[in-house]
Amino acid sequence: MNTKELEKNSAIWSVAQSSTLYGMDFWGDEYFSINSKGHVQVHPHGKDFSAIDLYEMVSSFQERSIRLPLLLRFPDIIQAQMQKICSCFDKAIQDQDYKGKYYGVFPIKVNQQRHVIEDIVQAGRNLNFGLEAGSKPELLIALSCMDNPQALIICNGFKDKSYIEMALLSQKAGRNIFLVVERQKELDLILEMSQQLKLKPQIGFRLKLNTQSKGFWGKSSGEYSKFGLTSQQLVSSVEKVKQKGFLDCVKMVHFHIGSQVPSIQPIKSAIKECAMLVSELYLMKCPIQYVDVGGGLGINYDGSGATRSSTDYDIQEYANDIVFALQSLCEKKQIPQPHIISESGRFLVAQSSMLVFNVLDKNSIITDEKIKIDKNSSSFLKEMYDVYKNIPKISYNESFNDLVEKKKQIYDTFVYGMLSLKEMAIAEKIYWTSVKKLKELTENKEDYEDIFLTLKKQLTDTYFCNFSIFQSLPDSWALSYIFPILPIHRLKEKPTKQAYLVDLTCDSDGQISKIVDYSSWEIESFMPVHKLKEKEPYLMGIFLTGAYQEILGDLHNLFGDTDAVHIRVKDDNRYIIEHRVEADSISEVLEYVEFHRKQIIGNLHNITEQSIMKGHLTRQEAGLLIEKFEENLSRSTYLK
């Protein structure tokens, strides 16, 4: 990333340049900015309201024994997003004189953490915001948390008899529950159980639309999608409910065209296709009152508006298009305009969470511009030194080609025994010093941009970061998904280094593999960072992690959950820690894989006794080993 281009018109590096460099201008929305101190700040209620200095807040947590890495959740952002989606749909409904209402539901699968679900239920009480369950455990969560009889509980996913029985009994108890038929066999169970319980269920049909989305999750839509009824299955299902006397129970249709849909076009096409099916079902005497448009509403992870990690539309356009498409066809077919349901989980919670971690160490290429070669040096070292000295004198292309050749020769010469280890070390130092010099000479020269970019990558540092990508950012590893990342302080300083960000695991995949270069909108595997300072922590944040990342994380290398805190922000720029969720201890993580505390401590006692008998350990040393072993079992899986 060419930071000199950003610095041309400014003698001093500014926070505005950092905001552009790290893309906050594009993905920060109304919730994130950089203050005059060069610290990232969070505006949970929007930029016109209170702001919290993220660096100062996290630094103060150390005094409360809240450890890094740290997951921060801001439930105020969830509430703001809920109000935003409701107001956008309400505006679209009012502007177009639409006859139905809007009902939001949160898909529990997006973030099943108890405090998150409780925050959503509480914030959504006045908005009649409901929950969506995609499995039996999630249904249990919904039934235990949702206490608003006006809010919807949508039952999706595969269902067995006990799942359906729970839902129907809860309907009898006054819950506003819809059972969505994903497969025809589910309909038989719903009708059978409803007859036994002597109630009229609220039934929805999931539609398998032909419209297919693009993006990471496009395969969840279209004719080959996992769930939904085809047109043939839809017709036969209507006939079945009609024969059983339950036709009046079919009140909803539902479809889903994938998560994080990047373009508005497939959304518009899906709505039109759905509206046509609604009109046909209405002609078949199904009293469709609700259309559930599912999820798919995306957010700008990179802010480009042109990749799978962003969107080319905003929330108001999304709401307008849905309302308009439904209204147009309903008026044309002269049928009632249904209520609208959406399951926009990512939109609601992604921006509310972030991971803050510290950089533990770095690995840098060693260069030395004062290097000298004496007359007793090998001919190979003299040749290497000549390449270095001649770089400014010959063409940059020739110098680059010489370096490529010499790099290969260094290792070939060593392998064939013609170069000692000390000589190879000197040869490497000459090579990397030459690379640094040629990089500096080719920077900002258009004709040599390819050479400059190649050399820049070779000189990039490695920053070792105190987190596990497999635990805290699984979509980055599994899908090469892009998340915003930047230092949360020192943003008044020019970042003079480039670094790969690698995690604590011993897996070669344990690094952030895709980072946006906001100067060119290219995707890189490294990013601009500041030079590390002795005895001063370097803190970085990964943002927009609230959707899916927490629940999908795994225990690679047995790194468990981090500390997590829920922050409520007051009107006077103060905050309170509403909840603290302590990180997994090593003992807890070991329990997951059947290594129980008492058993492994007992094993260690046996081992130390044998070592004492053999004279390898004194009793005091054995006692100290056991003490440290037990002490570490209670500690976090991450490094201090």
Side-chain angles (χ1 to χ4, degrees):
M1 203 169 290
N2 189 351
T3 53
K4 286 187 178 179
E5 288 296 317
L6 293 170
E7 202 180 17
K8 275 183 178 179
N9 299 320
S10 175
I12 301 175
W13 189 261
S14 68
V15 296
Q17 288 172 294
S18 285
S19 187
T20 300
L21 181 67
Y22 292 112
M24 191 175 283
D25 295 343
F26 308 104
W27 57 262
D29 201 10
E30 59 191 296
Y31 300 122
F32 305 102
S33 67
I34 303 172
N35 63 24
S36 60
K37 297 178 182 178
H39 300 168
V40 174
Q41 58 185 5
V42 186
H43 310 257
H45 302 290
K47 286 189 179 175
D48 294 332
F49 300 93
S50 296
I52 298 299
D53 187 310
L54 194 57
Y55 176 73
E56 290 183 355
M57 181 179 69
V58 171
S59 297
S60 73
F61 286 168
Q62 310 303 304
E63 301 168 2
R64 309 179 199 184
S65 297
I66 299 175
R67 302 154 293 192
L68 295 172
L70 176 63
L71 182 71
L72 300 175
R73 298 194 189 111
F74 291 89
D76 294 317
I77 292 180
I78 297 176
Q79 183 175 356
Q81 289 293 91
M82 293 174 78
Q83 291 172 338
K84 184 186 294 185
I85 193 171
C86 289
S87 63
C88 286
F89 268 101
D90 289 346
K91 184 178 187 303
I93 287 169
Q94 184 177 356
D95 289 350
Q96 301 179 45
D97 195 24
Y98 188 78
K99 307 307 179 188
K101 297 179 180 179
Y102 170 72
Y103 291 88
V105 298
F106 176 74
I108 295 173
K109 68 179 179 181
V110 177
N111 193 321
Q112 292 108 327
Q113 300 296 329
R114 177 173 64 88
H115 294 304
V116 173
I117 301 299
E118 289 175 349
D119 287 335
I120 286 169
V121 171
Q122 179 183 347
R125 189 165 280 114
N126 294 332
L127 303 170
N128 289 330
F129 226 91
L131 295 173
E132 182 267 348
S135 67
K136 198 185 301 184
E138 289 182 356
L139 177 59
L140 294 177
I141 290 175
L143 296 178
S144 69
C145 292
M146 182 51 66
D147 55 1
N148 180 1
Q150 302 302 314
L152 302 177
I153 297 177
I154 307 295
C155 298
N156 287 326
F158 286 112
K159 305 169 191 68
D160 60 8
K161 187 175 180 179
S162 64
Y163 183 127
I164 293 166
E165 187 177 32
M166 275 194 303
L168 293 175
L169 286 170
S170 297
Q171 181 185 327
K172 253 192 166 182
R175 304 297 176 85
N176 195 359
I177 288 183
F178 276 90
L179 279 161
V180 178
V181 177
E182 313 268 3
R183 301 169 298 129
Q184 283 188 300
K185 286 186 177 181
E186 292 176 359
L187 181 58
D188 294 330
L189 288 172
I190 292 170
L191 297 179
E192 176 189 338
M193 295 301 301
S194 298
Q195 288 173 328
Q196 290 178 14
L197 294 170
K198 297 180 181 179
L199 61 73
K200 288 282 190 177
Q202 296 192 110
I203 297 174
F205 287 146
R206 179 160 179 171
L207 309 176
K208 184 175 285 191
L209 303 181
N210 287 305
T211 303
Q212 185 163 12
S213 165
K214 295 182 179 179
F216 284 104
W217 295 276
K219 64 182 179 181
S220 63
S221 60
E223 60 180 323
Y224 298 110
S225 60
K226 182 177 179 180
F227 293 113
L229 304 177
T230 64
S231 57
Q232 296 179 52
Q233 293 170 335
L234 198 58
V235 170
S236 64
S237 295
V238 172
E239 290 299 322
K240 181 172 291 185
V241 294
K242 184 177 180 180
Q243 291 170 8
K244 298 284 187 179
F246 285 89
L247 189 61
D248 60 332
C249 298
V250 182
K251 299 179 180 179
M252 187 185 80
V253 295
H254 168 49
F255 70 86
H256 181 67
I257 61 168
S259 181
Q260 182 62 24
V261 178
S263 173
I264 195 65
Q265 293 305 319
I267 295 172
K268 295 167 73 169
S269 298
I271 293 295
K272 291 176 182 177
E273 186 180 352
C274 171
M276 182 60 71
L277 288 168
V278 168
S279 69
E280 292 297 316
L281 287 169
Y282 201 86
L283 293 175
M284 297 172 71
K285 308 301 181 184
C286 292
I288 302 299
Q289 299 174 14
Y290 297 85
V291 170
D292 183 347
V293 300
L297 174 59
I299 63 169
N300 273 315
Y301 285 95
D302 64 26
S304 68
T307 70
R308 297 181 299 177
S309 298
S310 64
T311 60
D312 65 3
Y313 57 93
D314 61 22
I315 175 60
Q316 190 62 65
E317 182 181 358
Y318 176 80
N320 291 345
D321 286 344
I322 289 173
V323 171
F324 177 78
L326 285 173
Q327 183 184 48
S328 299
L329 197 65
C330 288
E331 288 181 346
K332 182 179 179 181
K333 296 290 185 177
Q334 296 184 335
I335 62 173
Q337 297 172 20
H339 303 305
I340 299 168
I341 304 168
S342 77
E343 303 175 5
S344 304
R346 186 187 297 274
F347 176 83
L348 296 179
V349 300
Q351 292 160 303
S352 68
S353 294
M354 65 207 69
L355 181 76
V356 177
F357 61 88
N358 53 313
V359 176
L360 298 167
D361 201 358
K362 67 178 176 65
N363 187 22
S364 299
I365 299 297
I366 298 174
T367 61
D368 184 1
E369 295 182 4
K370 296 180 180 179
I371 196 166
K372 293 182 180 180
I373 298 296
D374 59 40
K375 61 181 181 179
N376 296 321
S377 298
S378 70
S379 58
F380 181 78
L381 288 182
K382 292 176 181 177
E383 290 176 15
M384 284 290 303
Y385 189 71
D386 286 342
V387 170
Y388 167 66
K389 297 298 288 184
N390 288 325
I391 284 177
K393 302 175 185 177
I394 60 178
S395 75
Y396 297 149
N397 284 324
E398 185 177 349
S399 295
F400 177 75
N401 292 330
D402 286 345
L403 286 174
V404 171
E405 178 186 2
K406 291 302 178 185
K407 184 178 182 181
K408 184 176 185 303
Q409 286 181 355
I410 289 173
Y411 300 104
D412 287 347
T413 307
F414 175 74
V415 168
Y416 288 118
M418 300 169 63
L419 202 66
S420 70
L421 179 59
K422 288 185 177 181
E423 289 174 321
M424 186 174 79
I426 296 172
E428 282 185 344
K429 189 178 292 186
I430 298 172
Y431 170 79
W432 289 116
T433 306
S434 302
V435 167
K436 180 182 177 183
K437 179 187 286 189
L438 186 57
K439 169 185 166 287
E440 291 170 351
L441 291 170
T442 55
E443 186 170 6
N444 297 323
K445 292 183 171 58
E446 188 175 342
D447 292 342
Y448 303 102
E449 185 177 7
D450 290 344
I451 291 176
F452 170 75
L453 292 175
T454 299
L455 299 178
K456 182 178 73 168
K457 289 181 181 179
Q458 290 185 19
L459 287 168
T460 297
D461 289 350
T462 298
Y463 276 27
F464 299 99
C465 305
N466 192 17
F467 77 101
S468 163
I469 193 171
F470 304 95
Q471 175 61 241
S472 296
L473 214 63
D475 280 345
S476 176
W477 165 69
L479 302 172
S480 295
Y481 209 71
I482 294 170
F483 291 88
I485 180 169
L486 75 159
I488 66 169
H489 61 132
R490 295 179 62 181
L491 296 173
K492 288 180 71 174
E493 301 175 36
K494 176 186 174 183
T496 58
K497 309 288 286 184
Q498 300 282 346
Y500 300 106
L501 304 182
V502 302
D503 71 359
L504 293 180
T505 68
C506 61
D507 197 304
S508 58
D509 279 349
Q511 76 171 70
I512 307 293
S513 61
K514 287 197 173 182
I515 299 169
V516 179
D517 178 342
Y518 286 98
S519 65
S520 64
W521 290 102
E522 297 291 331
I523 304 299
E524 301 286 4
S525 56
F526 52 86
M527 66 176 292
V529 292
H530 302 88
K531 185 176 181 180
L532 300 183
K533 297 180 179 179
E534 285 290 329
K535 298 182 180 180
E536 181 178 316
Y538 190 59
L539 305 186
M540 302 189 73
I542 304 175
F543 294 77
L544 314 190
T545 64
Y548 297 101
Q549 302 316 295
E550 294 176 56
I551 204 65
L552 290 176
D554 69 17
L555 293 174
H556 194 13
N557 277 147
L558 298 183
F559 287 106
D561 285 339
T562 68
D563 272 4
V565 291
H566 290 234
I567 308 297
R568 287 278 184 187
V569 177
K570 302 299 182 181
D571 293 336
D572 54 359
N573 291 339
R574 293 188 302 159
Y575 65 89
I576 60 169
I577 297 178
E578 192 171 58
H579 305 290
R580 178 192 174 184
V581 182
E582 196 170 3
D584 286 336
S585 68
I586 293 176
S587 178
E588 288 170 328
V589 169
L590 292 179
E591 289 279 346
Y592 296 150
V593 287
E594 302 297 325
F595 285 94
H596 304 292
R597 183 184 182 97
K598 289 182 179 180
Q599 178 190 11
I600 59 178
I601 291 175
N603 290 346
L604 185 64
H605 270 285
N606 293 336
I607 292 169
T608 55
E609 286 300 313
Q610 293 174 17
S611 296
I612 291 170
M613 291 181 65
K614 293 177 180 178
H616 297 159
L617 285 177
T618 66
R619 290 186 178 87
Q620 291 79 11
E621 289 169 337
L624 181 61
L625 173 58
I626 292 169
E627 178 186 334
K628 293 297 180 183
F629 188 88
E630 292 181 336
E631 184 180 300
N632 276 286
L633 282 173
S634 300
R635 286 182 172 170
S636 166
T637 56
Y638 296 92
L639 302 188
K640 282 191 173 182

